Amino acid sequence: YFISTNSLTSSGTLNEYTFDDWMRTNGMRYGSRRKLGMCSSAVLGAFVQMAKDRITVTPVNLGVGDMRIGIQVREYMSPTGGSLLLMEDRSLTETNQGTMFIVDPEVVRLRHFSNNGKNGMPHIKEHTQPTDSDAESSAIICDLGLEVGPEKHHGKVTGVTAVSAGRSVS
């Protein structure tokens, strides 16, 4: 909700060159060189289709017969050399299909709220059972929020239903 300047709106098909240009001028302009792209399944699927011939899974033999492991990391390299790690955010899949939030994890942190002798850090509060109860209970209490850092370090892409390699044909 707080991202208003670093925003790219697509009207369905997002072209690779358009996305690269936006990444160069906005998405990777400020902050760290390694960011996280939290995508709805439609956006993630569109990027996988665009790069299908460039995605590789390399099986590694673990030395015991046929036991192997394969690792696939969806990482989009921006034109400036930074990387965007793509992962599905199921809440976006349920509520905002076609949306991706680009987050700079270096400026995001947990923030506790403490004031007037109240401690917002996680702690145990003992004897939280009702006064007429024979049972004994305790509760973990905290007052935490998420500090997202400067808005210019993050980005938002909306309206994506498909991604095409290359540039649009006019």
Side-chain angles (χ1 to χ4, degrees), residues 68-137:
R68 297 187 204 201
I69 185 169
I71 298 173
Q72 181 177 4
V73 176
R74 291 183 178 101
E75 185 173 1
Y76 191 89
M77 300 302 293
S78 81
T80 58
S83 66
L84 179 64
L85 300 172
L86 301 172
M87 65 176 287
E88 182 188 7
D89 181 331
R90 290 183 181 164
S91 66
L92 287 177
T93 297
E94 294 295 321
T95 60
N96 291 313
Q97 249 333 334
T99 301
M100 172 174 61
F101 288 103
I102 297 174
V103 178
D104 185 351
E106 288 192 13
V107 296
V108 175
R109 66 182 182 151
L110 281 177
R111 183 75 148 170
H112 67 88
F113 300 99
S114 299
N115 196 4
N116 294 331
K118 297 196 178 185
N119 183 3
M121 292 297 289
H123 60 280
I124 296 176
K125 182 177 181 183
E126 297 181 350
H127 309 295
T128 57
Q129 71 276 2
T131 53
D132 60 346
S133 173
D134 291 337
E136 186 174 316
S137 65

Side-chain angles (χ1 to χ4, degrees), residues 4-35:
S4 60
T5 55
N6 288 343
S7 180
L8 175 65
T9 303
S10 172
S11 59
T13 301
L14 177 62
N15 296 302
E16 182 180 16
Y17 287 16
T18 303
F19 184 70
D20 280 347
D21 188 49
W22 182 81
M23 288 291 285
R24 182 181 53 77
T25 58
N26 293 42
M28 289 298 218
R29 185 170 179 191
Y30 299 103
S32 69
R33 310 296 297 151
R34 197 166 168 85
K35 296 187 180 185

